[in-house]
Amino acid sequence: MNRLQLPGRLTTAWLEAAARPVEVVVATRARDRIAASHSAWPQDGRGPADGLIDQGLPVHLVRATMLAHLAWLSEGTSGASPDSVDALTAALRTTFAPAVASTVDPVAEILQALSGNGQAYFDGKVLAANEALRLAGLRPFEPTSADIRAFTGTATMMVAAAALHAARLREVLVSALEGSGRAVLVAELSRSSELADAIERIEQVLLELPTFGAVGA
Protein backbone atom coordinates (compact mmCIF):
# COMPACT_ATOMS: atom_id res chain seq x y z
CA MET A 1 0.00 0.00 0.00
CA ASN A 2 1.39 3.41 -0.97
CA ARG A 3 1.90 6.03 1.73
CA LEU A 4 1.13 9.74 1.47
CA GLN A 5 2.68 12.20 3.91
CA LEU A 6 0.59 15.25 4.85
CA PRO A 7 0.89 18.19 4.80
CA GLY A 8 2.38 17.82 1.37
CA ARG A 9 1.72 18.14 -2.32
CA LEU A 10 -1.50 16.37 -3.22
CA THR A 11 -1.24 15.24 -6.83
CA THR A 12 -3.94 14.03 -9.18
CA ALA A 13 -2.25 10.62 -9.06
CA TRP A 14 -2.97 10.40 -5.34
CA LEU A 15 -6.60 11.46 -5.81
CA GLU A 16 -7.00 8.71 -8.40
CA ALA A 17 -5.25 6.22 -6.11
CA ALA A 18 -7.76 7.01 -3.33
CA ALA A 19 -10.31 4.89 -5.20
CA ARG A 20 -8.48 2.01 -3.47
CA PRO A 21 -7.18 1.76 0.12
CA VAL A 22 -4.37 4.25 0.74
CA GLU A 23 -2.12 4.92 3.73
CA VAL A 24 -2.06 8.59 4.76
CA VAL A 25 0.27 9.83 7.50
CA VAL A 26 -0.33 13.26 9.03
CA ALA A 27 2.87 14.67 10.53
CA THR A 28 3.08 15.25 14.28
CA ARG A 29 3.73 18.96 13.79
CA ALA A 30 0.60 19.17 11.67
CA ARG A 31 -1.46 17.36 14.30
CA ASP A 32 -0.22 19.88 16.88
CA ARG A 33 -1.46 22.74 14.66
CA ILE A 34 -4.75 20.93 14.14
CA ALA A 35 -5.22 20.51 17.89
CA ALA A 36 -4.39 24.17 18.56
CA SER A 37 -6.79 25.31 15.84
CA HIS A 38 -9.54 23.04 17.14
CA SER A 39 -9.22 24.30 20.72
CA ALA A 40 -9.60 27.89 19.50
CA TRP A 41 -13.11 27.23 18.17
CA PRO A 42 -16.19 27.35 20.44
CA GLN A 43 -17.50 23.86 21.09
CA ASP A 44 -21.25 24.38 20.86
CA GLY A 45 -23.59 23.46 18.07
CA ARG A 46 -25.62 20.66 16.59
CA GLY A 47 -24.44 17.39 15.13
CA PRO A 48 -25.20 16.00 11.70
CA ALA A 49 -28.74 14.96 10.92
CA ASP A 50 -29.79 11.33 11.20
CA GLY A 51 -31.48 9.34 8.48
CA LEU A 52 -30.62 7.30 5.41
CA ILE A 53 -29.42 8.81 2.18
CA ASP A 54 -29.58 7.42 -1.32
CA GLN A 55 -26.45 6.40 -3.14
CA GLY A 56 -25.47 8.97 -5.70
CA LEU A 57 -21.93 10.15 -6.44
CA PRO A 58 -19.36 7.65 -7.75
CA VAL A 59 -17.30 5.95 -5.06
CA HIS A 60 -13.98 6.97 -6.61
CA LEU A 61 -15.04 10.65 -6.50
CA VAL A 62 -16.20 10.38 -2.89
CA ARG A 63 -12.92 8.80 -1.81
CA ALA A 64 -10.92 11.40 -3.74
CA THR A 65 -12.96 14.04 -1.91
CA MET A 66 -12.13 12.40 1.43
CA LEU A 67 -8.43 12.57 0.61
CA ALA A 68 -8.61 16.15 -0.66
CA HIS A 69 -10.46 17.20 2.50
CA LEU A 70 -7.92 15.41 4.66
CA ALA A 71 -5.14 17.30 2.89
CA TRP A 72 -6.91 20.58 3.74
CA LEU A 73 -7.48 19.58 7.37
CA SER A 74 -3.79 18.69 7.68
CA GLU A 75 -2.92 22.35 7.20
CA GLY A 76 -4.26 22.86 10.73
CA THR A 77 -6.33 26.01 10.13
CA SER A 78 -9.87 24.62 9.83
CA GLY A 79 -10.69 24.22 13.52
CA ALA A 80 -11.28 20.50 13.05
CA SER A 81 -10.07 18.06 15.70
CA PRO A 82 -7.20 15.57 15.40
CA ASP A 83 -9.85 12.86 15.80
CA SER A 84 -11.43 13.96 12.51
CA VAL A 85 -8.08 13.48 10.81
CA ASP A 86 -7.78 10.03 12.36
CA ALA A 87 -11.29 9.11 11.18
CA LEU A 88 -10.46 10.00 7.58
CA THR A 89 -7.03 8.33 7.55
CA ALA A 90 -8.49 5.15 9.06
CA ALA A 91 -11.35 5.08 6.53
CA LEU A 92 -8.99 5.64 3.61
CA ARG A 93 -6.98 2.56 4.64
CA THR A 94 -10.07 0.46 3.91
CA THR A 95 -12.62 0.24 1.11
CA PHE A 96 -15.15 2.25 3.16
CA ALA A 97 -16.81 5.06 1.21
CA PRO A 98 -19.81 7.18 2.23
CA ALA A 99 -22.83 7.00 -0.07
CA VAL A 100 -23.18 10.68 -1.00
CA ALA A 101 -26.54 11.66 -2.46
CA SER A 102 -25.74 14.99 -4.10
CA THR A 103 -23.24 17.74 -4.71
CA VAL A 104 -25.05 20.24 -2.45
CA ASP A 105 -22.83 19.59 0.59
CA PRO A 106 -21.05 16.29 -0.05
CA VAL A 107 -18.39 16.71 2.64
CA ALA A 108 -21.12 17.08 5.27
CA GLU A 109 -22.58 13.79 4.03
CA ILE A 110 -19.16 12.20 4.32
CA LEU A 111 -19.08 13.31 7.95
CA GLN A 112 -22.53 11.79 8.50
CA ALA A 113 -21.36 8.41 7.25
CA LEU A 114 -18.15 8.55 9.30
CA SER A 115 -20.43 9.18 12.28
CA GLY A 116 -22.49 6.08 11.51
CA ASN A 117 -25.46 7.88 9.97
CA GLY A 118 -26.90 7.28 6.52
CA GLN A 119 -25.39 4.78 4.13
CA ALA A 120 -21.91 3.80 2.99
CA TYR A 121 -20.12 1.35 0.75
CA PHE A 122 -17.88 -1.42 1.98
CA ASP A 123 -16.22 -3.72 -0.56
CA GLY A 124 -18.55 -2.32 -3.22
CA LYS A 125 -21.80 -3.03 -1.36
CA VAL A 126 -24.02 -0.24 -0.04
CA LEU A 127 -25.03 -0.75 3.60
CA ALA A 128 -26.18 1.23 6.59
CA ALA A 129 -23.18 3.37 7.50
CA ASN A 130 -22.82 1.93 11.00
CA GLU A 131 -22.71 -1.59 9.54
CA ALA A 132 -20.17 -0.56 6.89
CA LEU A 133 -18.01 0.97 9.61
CA ARG A 134 -18.23 -2.24 11.66
CA LEU A 135 -17.23 -4.44 8.74
CA ALA A 136 -14.33 -2.09 7.94
CA GLY A 137 -13.13 -2.32 11.55
CA LEU A 138 -13.84 1.37 12.13
CA ARG A 139 -15.57 3.10 15.03
CA PRO A 140 -18.18 5.80 14.45
CA PHE A 141 -16.64 9.25 14.72
CA GLU A 142 -18.22 11.65 17.23
CA PRO A 143 -17.68 15.15 15.79
CA THR A 144 -17.52 18.32 17.83
CA SER A 145 -19.29 21.42 16.60
CA ALA A 146 -15.98 22.69 15.24
CA ASP A 147 -15.62 19.45 13.27
CA ILE A 148 -19.11 19.95 11.86
CA ARG A 149 -18.15 23.44 10.68
CA ALA A 150 -14.95 22.10 9.12
CA PHE A 151 -17.00 19.54 7.15
CA THR A 152 -19.75 21.92 6.05
CA GLY A 153 -19.94 24.21 3.04
CA THR A 154 -16.50 23.39 1.68
CA ALA A 155 -15.49 23.18 -1.98
CA THR A 156 -13.32 20.09 -1.49
CA MET A 157 -15.39 17.89 -3.78
CA MET A 158 -15.11 20.39 -6.62
CA VAL A 159 -11.34 20.42 -6.20
CA ALA A 160 -11.23 16.62 -6.27
CA ALA A 161 -13.56 16.42 -9.27
CA ALA A 162 -11.55 19.00 -11.20
CA ALA A 163 -8.33 17.13 -10.47
CA LEU A 164 -9.81 13.81 -11.62
CA HIS A 165 -11.12 15.46 -14.81
CA ALA A 166 -7.68 16.93 -15.40
CA ALA A 167 -6.07 13.54 -14.90
CA ARG A 168 -8.47 11.93 -17.36
CA LEU A 169 -7.96 14.71 -19.87
CA ARG A 170 -4.21 14.26 -19.59
CA GLU A 171 -4.55 10.54 -20.29
CA VAL A 172 -6.71 11.21 -23.33
CA LEU A 173 -4.34 13.86 -24.67
CA VAL A 174 -1.33 11.58 -24.23
CA SER A 175 -3.18 8.78 -25.99
CA ALA A 176 -4.15 11.06 -28.85
CA LEU A 177 -0.67 12.49 -29.22
CA GLU A 178 0.81 8.99 -29.28
CA GLY A 179 -1.19 8.08 -32.36
CA SER A 180 -4.86 7.52 -31.59
CA GLY A 181 -5.68 10.66 -33.52
CA ARG A 182 -7.65 13.84 -33.20
CA ALA A 183 -11.03 12.20 -33.81
CA VAL A 184 -10.59 9.86 -30.82
CA LEU A 185 -9.71 12.78 -28.57
CA VAL A 186 -12.76 14.80 -29.58
CA ALA A 187 -15.06 11.78 -29.15
CA GLU A 188 -13.72 11.17 -25.65
CA LEU A 189 -14.14 14.78 -24.62
CA SER A 190 -17.69 14.72 -25.93
CA ARG A 191 -18.66 12.25 -23.21
CA SER A 192 -18.06 14.86 -20.52
CA SER A 193 -20.78 17.51 -20.39
CA GLU A 194 -18.46 19.80 -18.44
CA LEU A 195 -16.02 19.85 -21.34
CA ALA A 196 -18.48 19.75 -24.24
CA ASP A 197 -18.54 23.52 -24.65
CA ALA A 198 -14.76 23.58 -24.95
CA ILE A 199 -14.48 20.97 -27.71
CA GLU A 200 -14.70 23.44 -30.58
CA ARG A 201 -11.87 25.55 -29.13
CA ILE A 202 -9.82 22.43 -28.38
CA GLU A 203 -10.26 21.23 -31.95
CA GLN A 204 -8.92 24.52 -33.23
CA VAL A 205 -5.90 24.30 -30.94
CA LEU A 206 -5.23 20.71 -32.02
CA LEU A 207 -5.20 21.74 -35.65
CA GLU A 208 -2.31 24.05 -34.81
CA LEU A 209 -0.22 21.39 -33.01
CA PRO A 210 2.72 20.17 -35.13
CA THR A 211 2.38 16.70 -33.55
CA PHE A 212 -1.05 16.24 -35.08
CA GLY A 213 0.31 17.13 -38.47
CA ALA A 214 2.56 14.10 -38.16
CA VAL A 215 -0.07 11.77 -36.67
CA GLY A 216 -3.00 12.68 -38.84
CA ALA A 217 -6.71 12.49 -38.03
Side-chain angles (χ1 to χ4, degrees), residues 48 81 83-84 87 111 114-116 139-145 147-148:
S81 67
D83 288 345
S84 69
L111 179 61
L114 290 172
S115 304
R139 285 189 286 183
F141 171 55
E142 298 181 4
T144 67
S145 59
D147 288 323
I148 294 167

Side-chain angles (χ1 to χ4, degrees), residues 50-82:
D50 293 328
L52 294 178
I53 57 175
D54 296 325
Q55 51 185 306
L57 299 183
V59 169
H60 74 279
L61 174 56
V62 174
R63 285 184 57 88
T65 300
M66 293 165 66
L67 180 54
H69 199 69
L70 175 57
W72 177 61
L73 295 183
S74 73
E75 297 296 328
T77 59
S78 67
S81 67

Side-chain angles (χ1 to χ4, degrees), residues 126-145:
V126 65
L127 307 163
N130 57 355
E131 177 66 6
L133 288 169
R134 185 187 69 79
L135 292 174
L138 304 170
R139 285 189 286 183
F141 171 55
E142 298 181 4
T144 67
S145 59

